[in-house]
Amino acid sequence: MEWRATYRLQLGSDLDFRQARALVPYLSELGISHLYLSPSFQARSGSTHGYDVVDPTRISHELGGEEEFRALCSAGLGVLLDIVPNHMATSEQENPYWSDPTRRAKFFDWDPETGWYRRFFTIDDLSGVRQEDAEVFEETHRKLFELIADGLVHGVRVDHPDGLRDPAGYLESLRARGARHVWVEKILEPGERLRDWPVEGTTGYEFANDVTALFVDPAGEEPLTELYAELTGERRSFADVAYEAKLEQARGDFRREFDRLRTLVDRRDVSLEEAAALLHVYRTYVEPWSGKVEPEDRDALAALPDELRRILLLEERGYDEFVTRFQQTTGPVMAKGVEDTALYRWLRLTALNEVGGNPDRFSLPIDEFHAANAERAERFPLQLLATQTHDTKRSGDVRARIGALAVLAGEWAERARRWRILDDPNENYLLLQTLVGAWPIAPERVEAYMEKALREAKLSTNWAAPNVEHERRVREAIRRFYADPPDDFEPFAARVAAYGASASVAQTLLKLTVPGVPDIYQGDEWESLNLVDPDNRRPVAWRARRRPLAHPPPKVRVIRRALDLRRRRPRPFAGAYTALDAGRDVCAFVRGDSEVLVAVPLRPAGRDARLEAPAGRWRDVLSGRDVELYGGERLRDLPGDLSVTLLERR
């Protein structure tokens, strides 16, 4: 089955297997080839997401059980299933492996003498699973392999492979047991390349960050940097803030992990916490059992103290368990320090504050975007391409709006100086960007978002000991804003929304046509103004979506037409990717043997750019009109009413 596009469904109490099956005709009409299902094995009672699995040998009873799951998988679309191999929930009543003393130490990374066990990040009731044990691997995957053998599950998304002792070995075992199409939830830092694992690629955070930064006007960097410093006094780089946050997490929430590491290596003059904070990637992949050390590992560890670096690179042997456990620990430190702390503290332009992103990079040059696409076409042509996931901090539409502030930097600065809702200037600046990025938005959603954001930042309040008085003042200030917003707020938010909508349509078209498999998060085919979870898991108005539309919204129209083109003409999308030069304000390329042409303006000036496209007879896919190209046409002179161009050779 051709991997044309995936559609992520967040299953739960308001969307079970039977209800998901009712969506198949609508998704098929949209052009989707594969459902991308959230974890579907038995989770603990009351689970809202499915990542707290208690029994991977059974399909979730709450979601409808195995009969309904099989019916969904047989309804006409392929299935990509999200699995959770790294951990299980520590439920004495529901987890048969955790409650059985004879199997506890075999299945879990647990020390019977001390009671210590490897947690998932800082969550005490999720315990690491020993997938390196062949019997554990077979037992915890036997239902998955049965579903694959029965032709019901066609692909697998592996959650948090960096937590495993041996990610490469685990993925090789999956491939050997029949899992031919595997994607990894691997967060790559800028400049980091995915290892040569037996996978189709990652779940697409790199594309989400690249396509967002591509549309951010570089001319806005200096004024927005100065504005942020003026309003908040923050002049440090994001890297400095991230290092500080990682070190805080290592010394605080991960104290038990580092205490354990110190029992495995006698180097009291070396701070393991500082070493973990210095690491600029989530983890290295040194293999003590095989002696394998890749050049990327040497590069990643270059900044660490020499005696610790020698141990981690196996130049000084006898510390194999330490090397393995240190590598399993640095990923959670990075995730909690950067994703769940620093990204809520350093707020110059929050469109760039995304999982796997680097907010220090303000904009992405077009040649770098083309280079990333070309490399993906060569190495991982089926990598997923995301603009929103269940883990993103904001939807692609919200990021596109906030990114538009770089174009409107002067107007935004004048207003941001005047609009004071919260007393803390950094918190106020976060709130202002959130409001213009998601307007109109119910005040309850904003209040819930700010509570989470401020607790994640861990400055004025936190999860462990919430400052309830400060949080109350924030809620009250938000309500006062809604009762009497500044006169120029809504007109300005409308201007930002217009810029953002145009950028969102263009980003959607790029996702559907560059190398890779486009992934659509549930509801994101329409305008989606989601914030971080649980906001992005709100119920979708499916009934309204399924009604036939005489005039579909722009994103829906682009998705339908582009995916229909991929269905009718799959060859060019499996073929070459060739960039076209149309200046700094336009992204243009052809696919295959110049069979499909795509051109999108990155900024308003791009509409006047001239496109040196292959001459000949073309058909505009979005409008259905024929067009003759001679070379050198301006984008605004091409057919269509969406400001983006998708042509196919006649």
Side-chain angles (χ1 to χ4, degrees):
M1 181 181 291
E2 174 206 357
W3 289 87
R4 188 185 319 125
T6 60
Y7 193 96
R8 171 78 178 196
L9 290 177
Q10 288 298 115
L11 302 170
S13 58
D14 51 26
L15 185 65
D16 60 17
F17 299 139
R18 182 189 294 266
Q19 292 164 319
R21 179 153 49 100
L23 299 177
V24 168
Y26 162 70
L27 298 177
S28 298
E29 182 183 354
L30 195 63
I32 301 301
S33 62
H34 289 75
L35 296 173
Y36 174 5
L37 301 179
S38 61
S40 300
F41 294 120
Q42 186 61 52
R44 69 174 146 206
S45 300
S47 174
T48 59
H49 45 69
Y51 288 93
D52 41 4
V53 175
V54 292
D55 189 351
T57 68
R58 294 189 293 124
I59 296 294
S60 170
H61 173 74
E62 290 79 0
L63 294 178
E66 184 161 340
E67 182 177 349
E68 285 293 344
F69 178 82
R70 286 177 172 267
L72 173 60
C73 293
S74 304
L77 295 177
V79 169
L80 167 60
L81 182 61
D82 194 344
I83 65 169
V84 192
N86 174 69
H87 56 268
M88 282 195 275
T90 60
S91 171
E92 293 283 355
Q93 292 75 32
E94 298 180 278
N95 190 325
Y97 310 102
W98 185 260
S99 60
D100 185 346
T102 65
R103 295 196 287 180
R104 189 165 172 180
K106 182 175 184 62
F107 275 77
F108 297 96
D109 195 353
W110 176 68
D111 183 354
E113 293 186 8
T114 65
W116 183 94
Y117 59 90
R118 179 171 58 85
R119 302 179 293 176
F120 174 66
F121 291 11
T122 57
I123 305 176
D124 289 339
D125 54 8
L126 294 178
S127 177
V129 177
R130 298 182 62 249
Q131 295 293 354
E132 64 271 19
D133 185 290
E135 293 182 31
V136 173
F137 175 82
E138 288 295 329
E139 170 69 7
T140 56
H141 289 75
R142 59 184 169 92
K143 176 56 69 174
L144 172 68
F145 295 146
E146 175 189 322
L147 297 170
I148 292 174
D150 289 348
L152 298 173
V153 170
H154 305 91
V156 175
R157 181 260 198 193
V158 176
D159 181 69
H160 190 49
D162 278 349
L164 300 174
R165 175 178 180 266
D166 178 16
Y170 169 81
L171 295 167
E172 288 162 2
S173 297
L174 276 186
R175 175 64 62 90
R177 293 289 277 107
R180 292 180 52 243
H181 298 290
V182 176
W183 288 264
V184 284
E185 188 225 8
K186 169 61 187 168
I187 298 171
L188 298 170
E189 290 301 291
E192 183 183 8
R193 301 173 81 234
L194 183 63
R195 302 297 173 99
D196 290 322
W197 292 338
V199 298
E200 303 292 6
T202 72
T203 52
Y205 291 118
E206 311 86 67
F207 177 81
N209 282 287
D210 283 356
V211 81
T212 297
L214 179 67
F215 283 79
V216 174
D217 190 344
E221 180 168 12
E222 183 176 348
L224 290 186
T225 301
E226 287 305 310
L227 174 67
Y228 185 50
E230 172 195 331
L231 295 177
T232 67
E234 180 60 88
R235 293 188 177 275
R236 293 176 297 172
S237 68
F238 176 74
D240 289 340
V241 174
Y243 171 78
E244 177 183 80
K246 286 189 287 182
L247 189 57
E248 283 179 17
Q249 288 296 294
R251 289 173 171 169
D253 288 351
F254 290 99
R255 182 178 298 130
R256 59 171 278 192
E257 280 73 19
F258 284 92
D259 287 345
R260 172 75 172 183
L261 287 172
R262 271 186 283 273
T263 68
L264 303 175
V265 63
D266 185 18
R267 292 292 190 275
R268 293 193 175 93
D269 56 335
V270 175
S271 169
L272 299 181
E273 292 88 347
E274 289 182 12
L278 282 170
L279 209 64
H280 65 274
V281 295
Y282 272 64
R283 68 164 282 176
T284 52
Y285 299 94
V286 173
E287 298 181 357
W289 51 90
S290 70
K292 183 179 180 181
V293 180
E294 298 285 359
E296 297 94 326
D297 299 317
R298 298 185 184 280
D299 294 341
L301 297 170
L304 271 60
D306 183 65
E307 57 181 308
L308 179 60
R309 183 174 53 81
R310 286 177 52 80
I311 290 174
L312 292 170
L313 292 175
L314 307 183
E315 295 170 1
E316 184 177 340
R317 297 308 300 258
Y319 300 95
D320 288 5
E321 186 180 357
F322 168 78
V323 172
T324 297
R325 294 201 179 280
F326 184 83
Q327 293 182 125
Q328 289 176 293
T329 302
T330 58
V333 170
M334 175 74 86
K336 296 298 291 183
V338 176
E339 290 177 39
D340 294 345
T341 305
L343 289 181
Y344 291 95
R345 291 182 176 180
W346 198 87
L347 308 167
R348 177 179 63 175
L349 186 67
T350 58
L352 307 174
N353 291 32
E354 194 49 85
V355 178
N358 176 14
D360 276 329
R361 181 186 74 174
F362 190 82
S363 185
L364 180 68
I366 195 165
D367 57 341
E368 293 185 25
F369 183 73
H370 286 315
N373 291 334
E375 180 180 1
R376 190 185 317 116
E378 180 180 350
R379 296 189 67 215
F380 299 107
L382 292 183
Q383 175 162 308
L384 295 183
L385 306 174
T387 45
Q388 179 179 187
T389 77
H390 59 290
D391 281 332
T392 46
K393 305 298 183 187
R394 296 162 186 84
S395 68
D397 287 345
V398 172
R399 290 199 308 275
R401 287 186 179 189
I402 296 174
L405 296 177
V407 177
L408 303 168
E411 298 176 54
W412 167 244
E414 190 273 327
R415 287 163 174 79
R417 293 185 181 105
R418 285 192 288 108
W419 293 343
R420 177 57 65 88
I421 306 173
L422 304 179
D423 293 333
D424 183 282
N426 208 43
E427 295 175 358
N428 187 67
Y429 200 53
L430 171 62
L431 176 58
L432 293 182
Q433 292 181 74
T434 302
L435 288 169
V436 298
W439 195 263
I441 178 173
E444 295 80 11
R445 290 176 57 203
V446 177
E447 292 171 19
Y449 170 78
M450 288 301 294
E451 178 183 281
K452 175 169 182 172
L454 300 189
R455 289 184 180 184
E456 296 283 39
K458 306 170 187 69
L459 296 174
S460 60
T461 185
N462 57 61
W463 293 106
N467 184 334
V468 293
E469 179 60 24
H470 182 78
E471 293 177 359
R472 181 188 61 79
R473 289 196 298 269
V474 169
R475 288 194 301 272
E476 290 178 350
I478 292 171
R479 291 170 192 164
R480 286 195 298 271
F481 168 82
Y482 271 83
D484 186 23
D487 291 341
D488 55 346
F489 175 78
E490 292 202 69
F492 182 77
R495 289 196 65 206
V496 172
Y499 276 101
S502 177
S504 174
V505 169
Q507 291 173 17
T508 298
L509 180 59
L510 292 179
K511 178 170 73 171
L512 297 166
T513 53
V514 301
V517 177
D519 173 43
I520 300 173
Y521 184 77
Q522 63 177 33
D524 196 27
E525 68 275 21
W526 289 44
E527 184 177 60
S528 175
L529 301 179
N530 290 336
L531 302 175
V532 73
D533 75 284
D535 190 74
N536 61 19
R537 287 190 268 118
R538 290 172 297 116
V540 175
W542 295 113
R543 184 172 299 177
R545 306 285 165 109
R546 295 202 299 260
R547 283 199 298 263
L549 295 175
H551 302 287
K555 278 174 66 177
V556 174
R557 181 172 156 196
V558 166
I559 291 169
R560 281 179 173 172
R561 298 289 176 86
L563 292 183
D564 179 65
L565 176 64
R566 291 185 69 128
R567 178 190 60 79
R568 292 187 288 104
R569 303 183 70 163
R571 189 177 68 175
F573 294 99
Y577 174 91
T578 307
L580 299 177
D581 185 11
R584 63 182 289 273
D585 295 318
V586 176
C587 178
F589 53 88
V590 291
R591 298 301 313 272
D593 187 17
S594 295
E595 300 160 81
V596 172
L597 184 153
V598 178
V600 302
L602 306 179
R603 285 163 281 280
R607 296 287 292 145
D608 292 316
R610 294 193 177 274
L611 179 65
E612 296 299 328
R617 295 179 61 224
W618 298 80
R619 176 180 175 271
D620 181 65
V621 176
L622 302 179
S623 70
R625 293 165 54 189
D626 289 342
V627 58
E628 187 84 20
L629 296 186
Y630 301 96
E633 285 82 4
R634 293 192 310 169
L635 254 65
R636 69 169 61 254
D637 295 332
L638 295 175
D641 59 353
L642 295 177
S643 80
V644 296
T645 299
L646 175 60
L647 306 180
E648 62 175 322
R649 281 278 194 184
R650 291 304 301 259

